[in-house]
Every structure is written in structure tokens, then in C-alpha cells.
Amino acid sequence: MNVKTDDFELVRNFLSGNEQSFNILARRYQERIYWHARRMLADHDDAHEIVQQVLLVMHSKLNTFSFNSALYTWIYKITATRCLNLLKKKKLQRIFTFSSDDAVENFGYENIIENIEAKERFTRMEKYLKSLPVKQRQVFIMRNYDEFSYEEISNITGKSIGALKANYFHAFKKMKELMEKNDD
Amino acid sequence: MTTDERIIKYIENELTSEERIAFESNLGNSLELKEEFEKYLRVKNETDELNKLKLDSIYLDSIIPEFRNKLKTPQSVSIKRDLGYAFGVMLVFIISIAVLNNFLKDESEITEIEEFTQSLNENQKIELLEEINLESNDYNIVSENISGKKLVDILITDIEINNEVAEAYDIGYNELMTDLSQQDIEKVYSEILNKNF
């Protein structure tokens, strides 16, 4: 049985009243939800909040899942939307509270990332990603970390493949420039 | 295609086989291209390495229990958000009603004037204009062959000028014609002459 079929069966079981099936689905996807949110938001608490929000939405809205696409695509759409909404909210909060982008960032990685050696590199990459405009950041993360094709990203975000490719090109170029600058 | 685009497409495996062969040949011949290529490759490699990161299992195990707790507790944030939306919608609704009301009021006023002028026969139109003319000997309004539209325009102008008077004294439209003060009449004449003749 492949993952897709297994997901569908778990969804059906949950919709019939089996909460354990939902827990299995949550455990299966929680880490991927966390990492996408973490890379988009560059903050542990925000990423954690997104995970909780997405699980709550899944729990209340799984009855609307149409089984036309993979479950992960459906979950991903919710995650991507919630991340963008939170970014907009934080931007407005910064405007109204006159705070800067340099406010204390909560990387919070000390206890949650197993590989200690990678922590420094991860923190650096997180800063680079945060420097990218949101649309570029999103497509760069979805291509490189989530390994979606342009077609899948287009389906999730609603953007044209041409626009996505352009954003990806600019993001890749900017990341290269940021790494060069850091070396200097 | 720029050099950067070629490099990125090569790394992403998006070049055609011919383009790929040409690029690899260039790569062997150009030090500058090789240096640029390696910078881009480094981005890709760093990204791939960090894909291997895993979250601590204690943290992962805490996610679902916290979610289950939240499921039991009413969400105060969403109530505040719902109230916010409700207030916003109500505000937009009230503003729309006020704007629409103002718009419709103007429209109905013009409609009333049009209906009034259409109800007049030629003799009544002449009488009305002569009455306006009668109050002051300084001006003469040409009353013959005046079109219905022109008469409406004159009356609308007249109404606009005298709206303040009408509102202040709660004067109906028909009363305006007979109850204008000398000052108001002269004001009306000036406006009509300036605008129409």
C-alpha cells in the first residue's frame, strides 16, 4: 500500500470517528509542517504555532478534503497560507509598534535539532532565507527543501509556472550573493 | 540565456542534452565560468545538507498532546477575530447605506424635478419662467421654445442654490417659487444667467 492510499484510508477512518487515525496522520506530517514554517518564518515559536494551527484546521476541515490530490498537497496549502498570513500580521505589527526587523529572533534550536554540528550552518541559512522577498523565499523553500516540482508549486500557490521560475532564479542568485558576502 | 540562468538550469537539470553538453564544454574552458558555477553549487549543497536535519524526538512527541489540549479549550483568539470581522462588515454596511442614501436622494430629487417639468404644458412653463422673471426687472429670461431639459437644469440650479433655505425652513419645492426673498431671487438669476446664457 503506498503512502497516498494509506493516507486516504486514515482520513476515511478519522471521518468515521477514529481519532487515532488522525494522530497517525499528524505524526506523519508534523515535522514537514514544522520545517516549512520554520524556513519561512525563521522563528521556532512561530513555526510551532503554525504546526498547532495546521493540525487544528486539519482536524476541523478534513471532511472537506476531496481525495483528488495527495493529502500532503492539501496540508501544504494550509501550511503555506498560514505562514504567509503570519508574515503579513507580523509586518503590520512592526509598522504599528515601530519595531524593526532586527528585533530579537527566536531561533530556539538548541533543544530541538538533533545534529549539533549543523546548527551553525542552519542558523546562517535561516538568515539568508529571511533576506529573500517572501515570494522568492517560498518558491526556493518549496523547490529545495520540500522538493516540489514547478507544477506542484503552481497548484499549491496558484502562481504561474513562469512566475515561479523567475522567482526561483532570483532567489537562487540572491542566496549565492549572500553567501559570497558572508565569506567576505 | 544569461550565464547565471545557464548555471542554475544546469544544476536544476533543466537544460536540453545539447545545451548540457555545450555548457560542460564551456565549463572546461573557462575559469570564470567554473568559479561562478561553484558558487551556485555551494548554495545547492548547503541546502541539501540542511535537508537532513531532524527534530528532537522529545519536542516532536509534545506536539500532539498540546494540540489535543487546544482542541478541548475554546479558542479565544478566533472569537476576537470573528468579532473584529463582524465589526468591520457592519462598518462597511453602514457607510454603504449612507453613501447610497445620499446618492439616491440626489437621484430622487432630480427625478421629481423632471416629473414636475414634464407635467407642465407650454403655457405653464412660460408662466413659471415669467414668475421667476417677475420678481426682478433687471433680468429677462428667454422663455419661448425652452426645452424640457433646459428647464430642468434651470430648476436644479435653482434648487441647489436654495437648498439651504429650503432645509432651514422646511420649504417644499413648489413653495420655493413663491417664497423666495429678493436676495435669493437675485442670487438665482445670477446663477442661471452665468450658467445658461
Side-chain angles (χ1 to χ4, degrees), chain B residues 110-122 124-126 128-129 142-157 173 196:
Chain B
I110 292 168
T111 312
E112 275 176 20
I113 294 169
E114 282 173 348
E115 281 172 5
F116 171 72
T117 57
Q118 276 162 18
S119 70
L120 300 174
N121 60 35
E122 282 306 312
Q124 285 170 326
K125 279 185 194 173
I126 292 165
L128 174 63
L129 288 164
V142 176
S143 60
E144 288 180 11
N145 300 319
I146 189 164
S147 69
K149 191 185 180 308
K150 206 156 211 167
L151 184 59
V152 168
D153 287 346
I154 290 170
L155 292 172
I156 288 170
T157 308
Y173 170 73
N196 293 293

Side-chain angles (χ1 to χ4, degrees), chain B residues 7-134:
Chain B
I7 294 172
I8 291 169
K9 284 190 170 189
Y10 178 80
I11 291 171
E12 295 286 307
N13 211 19
E14 286 177 10
L15 291 177
T16 62
S17 51
E18 292 86 10
E19 285 170 338
R20 197 172 180 80
I21 292 165
F23 180 80
E24 284 168 356
S25 170
N26 291 151
L27 210 54
N29 297 330
S30 167
L31 192 64
E32 199 182 328
L33 181 63
K34 196 172 180 209
E35 280 173 4
E36 274 303 293
F37 172 71
E38 276 167 10
K39 285 173 190 172
Y40 277 105
L41 201 59
R42 191 179 151 209
V43 175
K44 190 70 180 167
N45 290 340
E46 281 289 315
T47 308
D48 289 346
E49 271 302 307
L50 293 169
N51 243 342
K52 298 171 190 170
L53 286 174
K54 293 287 172 208
L55 287 173
D56 179 70
S57 57
I58 296 170
Y59 170 68
L60 283 174
D61 288 341
S62 70
I63 291 175
I64 292 176
E66 185 178 335
F67 154 72
R68 287 282 165 198
N69 258 345
K70 276 195 162 92
L71 214 50
K72 290 176 198 167
T73 320
Q75 295 295 301
S76 62
V77 172
S78 66
I79 290 168
K80 278 183 199 168
R81 191 177 63 204
D82 290 344
L83 281 175
Y85 282 145
F87 177 73
V89 167
M90 205 169 66
L91 200 62
V92 168
F93 182 69
I94 290 168
I95 292 168
S96 305
I97 294 288
V99 167
L100 212 60
N101 195 37
N102 198 43
F103 179 68
L104 284 174
K105 198 177 163 186
D106 287 346
E107 286 287 306
S108 68
E109 218 171 65
I110 292 168
T111 312
E112 275 176 20
I113 294 169
E114 282 173 348
E115 281 172 5
F116 171 72
T117 57
Q118 276 162 18
S119 70
L120 300 174
N121 60 35
E122 282 306 312
N123 286 335
Q124 285 170 326
K125 279 185 194 173
I126 292 165
E127 270 176 31
L128 174 63
L129 288 164
E130 279 175 355
E131 205 165 292
I132 294 172
N133 197 32
L134 201 65

Side-chain angles (χ1 to χ4, degrees), chain A residues 15 17-18 24 40 64 69-70 74 115 128 136 147 157 162 171 177:
Chain A
L15 294 175
N18 186 341
I24 296 169
M40 281 297 292
T64 66
S69 61
W74 185 80
N115 185 345
Y128 299 152
Q136 290 180 20
E147 295 172 341
T157 61
E177 287 163 4

Side-chain angles (χ1 to χ4, degrees), chain A residues 28-134:
Chain A
R28 187 174 286 179
Y29 292 111
Q30 63 187 6
E31 194 166 358
R32 289 167 83 176
I33 296 167
Y34 176 87
W35 280 121
H36 177 79
R38 180 66 190 259
R39 287 164 188 138
M40 281 297 292
L41 303 165
D43 183 280
H44 165 68
D45 286 344
D46 287 344
H48 177 74
E49 178 56 30
I50 293 291
V51 172
Q52 294 295 321
Q53 283 183 21
V54 171
L55 291 178
L56 285 166
V57 172
M58 275 173 68
H59 196 268
S60 63
K61 301 285 182 194
L62 254 177
N63 58 343
T64 66
F65 177 62
S66 60
F67 300 90
N68 289 335
S69 61
L71 180 66
Y72 185 58
T73 309
W74 185 80
I75 294 171
Y76 208 95
K77 272 187 197 175
I78 300 167
T79 310
T81 307
R82 290 278 160 160
C83 288
L84 292 176
N85 288 346
L86 187 55
L87 280 167
K88 280 179 202 166
K89 186 182 166 188
K90 287 170 87 70
K91 192 175 174 183
L92 281 172
Q93 280 174 345
R94 277 201 297 273
I95 289 167
F96 286 111
T97 58
F98 302 105
S99 60
S100 72
D101 283 353
D102 299 328
V104 174
E105 288 147 342
N106 178 10
F107 294 114
Y109 57 76
E110 287 82 5
N111 300 321
I112 63 159
I113 296 179
E114 285 186 340
N115 185 345
I116 298 168
E117 286 171 5
K119 277 181 191 173
E120 203 181 291
R121 290 161 81 186
F122 175 69
T123 309
R124 215 165 38 232
M125 277 302 265
E126 213 167 33
K127 279 186 178 156
Y128 299 152
L129 285 170
K130 205 176 173 189
S131 303
L132 297 177
V134 174

